[in-house]
Amino acid sequence: MLVLKWWDKRDLVMISSKHDSAFTNLKIRGKIVQKPTVVVDYNVEKTSIDLSNQIFSYSNPLCRSQ
């Protein structure tokens, strides 16, 4: 069980039973930055959720039922 508090731009608290405390090197704007693997995996997976939430927000369920 991993409990993580990470600060990049804001405080982030995460709990994971899948990950360990490993770090991943990322190249961002020409600089190498280390981030926890759990944060990197979350950022990769959340893009599809954000897209589905965006598409869902365009259709109002109340209009369809009237």
Side-chain angles (χ1 to χ4, degrees):
M1 184 66 75
L2 174 71
V3 178
L4 172 79
K5 182 176 181 184
W6 176 256
W7 183 84
D8 190 17
K9 294 180 183 176
R10 296 180 199 100
D11 284 338
L12 174 68
V13 179
M14 300 181 95
I15 299 174
S16 174
S17 61
K18 177 182 173 184
H19 296 88
D20 57 0
S21 60
F23 281 81
T24 303
N25 292 326
L26 298 173
K27 189 172 184 179
I28 300 174
R29 296 186 185 123
K31 293 171 44 178
I32 295 185
V33 178
Q34 283 190 336
K35 286 189 177 186
T37 306
V38 64
V39 174
V40 174
D41 287 348
Y42 173 76
N43 288 335
V44 168
E45 295 298 325
K46 77 172 185 165
T47 56
S48 61
I49 299 299
D50 288 342
L51 179 63
S52 68
N53 286 341
Q54 180 184 4
I55 292 170
F56 182 71
S57 71
Y58 294 140
S59 62
N60 188 351
L62 294 176
C63 292
R64 282 187 273 158
S65 65
Q66 291 179 350

